[in-house]
Amino acid sequence: MQIVRYPHPVLRFKSVDVTRIDGQLRQIVAHMFELMHEARGIGLAANQVGLPFRLFVTCVGDDRDTPGVEQVYINPTLRKPKGFIDAEEGCLSLPELYGDVERSAEITVEAFDLKGERFEQRLKGLPARCVQHEYDHIEGVLFTDHVNEKTLAGFQEKLDLFIQEHLAAQETGTLPLDDAITKQIKQMVQQGKPEVELP
């Protein structure tokens, strides 16, 4: 299991609900935290590791300099947005790209934890932004969909490079073709469980 990069097809897949919390899911979550921390990120969604399920993890403080607490969000929903604020975002699936994105200043998130217990949080600031960013991921939306045209134009050279790297990996056989990836995604959805190799 590894963090996938744009334009991997799973990043545009609207994820489906997690239907079972078991030992395998707990292992996946633990490895997601490891990958997120290794990449110096503050959030990571399941589809960023190739799994089309409504799940993400975060570890974010009130600002970039404040230590965060690890949190798992399973089958999350967002509600009660309040206000708007612009701030810079990046993404582990789009490395070295940063741009301003308008988000709700405050949100309420409801989700399940790894014990299967529902919880609710009212978030603002960086935690609210992080959760909205990761929620977008499980909806198949990238932060680049929110930036203005000028910023997106500035991204184009790097986006083209990501596409070239994706195609090159497929040509060498280190990455399956998009049709095969899509088939595997749909198979996981039909089976209702992840197919993943864990270390």
Side-chain angles (χ1 to χ4, degrees), residues 123-154:
L123 302 174
K124 61 183 179 179
L126 188 58
R129 177 167 297 275
C130 181
V131 163
Q132 290 173 85
H133 178 109
E134 300 309 326
Y135 185 86
D136 267 0
H137 271 302
I138 61 175
E139 290 287 306
V141 176
L142 300 174
F143 90 95
T144 49
D145 298 331
H146 295 295
V147 300
N148 61 41
E149 291 183 8
K150 183 178 179 181
T151 301
L152 186 59

Side-chain angles (χ1 to χ4, degrees), residues 2 13 79 87 89 128 180 188 195-196:
Q2 62 185 8
F13 192 88
R79 57 188 182 85
E89 293 187 18
M188 281 189 275
E195 288 182 9
V196 62

